[in-house]
């Protein structure tokens, strides 16, 4: 059986610091690595793979899922609206912060997503969608 490495603590801390500020976003151990969830929906999952590379998965709008698929590495499509990124020393953490903010706003109920300041002042991707869930 191949070993899956634990993600570097510095990377876990960076993701933790970002997502801890979002309403009701909770960190928990996952089947491998660490995940962050809001009301039972996964916002992000950070883990080491059998190939010894580190990945983070998150949610994206359908148009962005298509764009990530066409961009190729370091991005990859997981399925549905889940997308992944292979993390490296050269990872753009500002861009990742924007992607994780979007992921939270997609997964959170609209009333919680509305409390999050979006990069560039963009509206929540769920604006106008699930008004009854709040």
């Amino acid at each position: 059986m191949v070993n899956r490495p634990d993600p570097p603590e510095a990377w876990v801390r960076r993701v933790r610091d970002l997502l801890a500020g979002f309403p009701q976003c909770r960190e928990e151990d996952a089947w491998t690595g660490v995940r962050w969830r809001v009301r039972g929906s996964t916002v992000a999952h950070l883990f080491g793979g059998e190939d010894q590379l580190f990945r983070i998965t998150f949610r994206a709008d359908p148009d962005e899922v298509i764009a990530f698929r066409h961009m190729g590495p370091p991005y990859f499509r997981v399925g549905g609206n889940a997308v992944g990124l292979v993390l490296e020393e050269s990872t753009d953490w500002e861009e990742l912060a924007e992607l994780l903010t979007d992921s939270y706003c997609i997964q959170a109920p609209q009333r919680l997503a509305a409390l999050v300041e979006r990069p560039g002042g963009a509206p929540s991707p769920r604006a106008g969608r699930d008004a009854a869930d709040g």
Side-chain angles (χ1 to χ4, degrees):
M1 189 162 161
V2 178
N3 182 35
R4 289 176 175 266
D6 291 330
E9 185 57 35
W11 292 356
V12 173
R13 209 172 22 255
R14 286 183 93 155
V15 175
R16 176 185 298 136
D17 289 348
L18 171 72
L19 295 176
F22 296 156
Q24 298 183 25
C25 192
R26 306 288 183 253
E27 179 180 328
E28 58 188 47
D29 290 334
W31 64 275
T32 185
V34 183
R35 68 181 174 188
W36 289 263
R37 295 165 59 96
V38 59
R39 294 207 175 162
S41 296
T42 300
V43 173
H45 181 193
L46 176 59
F47 61 97
E50 292 177 358
D51 57 4
Q52 309 303 297
L53 297 176
F54 299 100
R55 294 169 175 80
I56 188 164
T57 59
F58 51 90
R59 306 300 174 151
D61 282 327
D63 290 344
E64 290 178 336
V65 171
I66 293 168
F68 287 124
R69 184 175 59 212
H70 289 296
M71 287 172 63
Y75 296 98
F76 60 94
R77 183 169 182 215
V78 176
N81 70 341
V83 180
L85 171 66
V86 175
L87 296 175
E88 304 168 314
E89 292 299 325
S90 62
T91 295
D92 182 340
W93 286 90
E94 286 183 31
E95 178 184 10
L96 182 58
E98 291 178 21
L99 296 170
L100 296 181
T101 300
D102 287 344
S103 181
Y104 173 84
C105 290
I106 289 167
Q107 296 296 84
Q110 183 179 8
R111 69 180 181 80
L112 295 178
L115 300 173
V116 173
E117 184 175 331
R118 304 290 305 284
S124 168
R126 295 179 70 170
R129 284 195 248 166
D130 55 351
D133 75 352

